[in-house]
């Protein structure tokens, strides 16, 4: 089922969130002796690449420049552009 969700375009992070949520429900049922075992207990979570690339907006750069000395901001501006 998880493979089908991934093939349908659902992100690995979303699949993990669903797995953890459902696993919690099943774990509670197990502790309340409604299940003999939690079938998701051994299921490993998918690897997730959460790296996000974000740049400062024009207004953020302007606010930063207003708070810094001009010569210091020149260094920061070069660093932000690399």
């Amino acid at each position: 089922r998880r493979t089908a969700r991934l093939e349908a375009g659902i992100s690995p992070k979303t699949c993990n969130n669903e797995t953890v949520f459902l696993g919690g429900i099943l774990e509670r049922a197990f502790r309340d002796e409604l299940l003999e075992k939690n079938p998701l207990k051994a299921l490993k979570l998918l690897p997730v690449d959460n790296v996000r690339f974000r740049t400062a907006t024009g207004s953020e750069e302007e606010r930063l420049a207003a708070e810094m000395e001009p010569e210091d901001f020149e260094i920061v501006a070069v660093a932000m552009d690399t």
Side-chain angles (χ1 to χ4, degrees):
R1 168 136 165 91
R2 189 166 65 168
T3 302
R5 304 261 308 138
L6 291 169
E7 289 171 354
I10 304 300
S11 76
K13 175 66 174 153
T14 298
C15 288
N16 286 345
N17 290 346
E18 294 168 349
T19 299
V20 169
F21 178 76
L22 182 56
I25 293 170
L26 294 173
E27 187 62 28
R28 177 65 185 256
F30 168 72
R31 282 185 288 152
D32 290 348
E33 299 179 357
L34 300 172
L35 293 175
E36 291 184 23
K37 67 176 185 172
N38 179 347
L40 294 183
K41 189 80 169 178
L43 186 64
K44 294 185 179 185
L45 296 179
L46 299 167
V48 176
D49 180 13
N50 267 348
V51 175
R52 295 182 181 157
F53 182 75
R54 182 185 180 286
T55 58
T57 65
S59 64
E60 288 171 330
E61 282 190 41
E62 289 170 6
R63 288 194 315 246
L64 184 58
E67 295 295 322
M68 298 181 73
E69 295 295 326
E71 58 274 3
D72 293 336
F73 181 73
E74 287 177 18
I75 296 168
V76 171
V78 169
M80 290 191 316
D81 288 336
T82 45

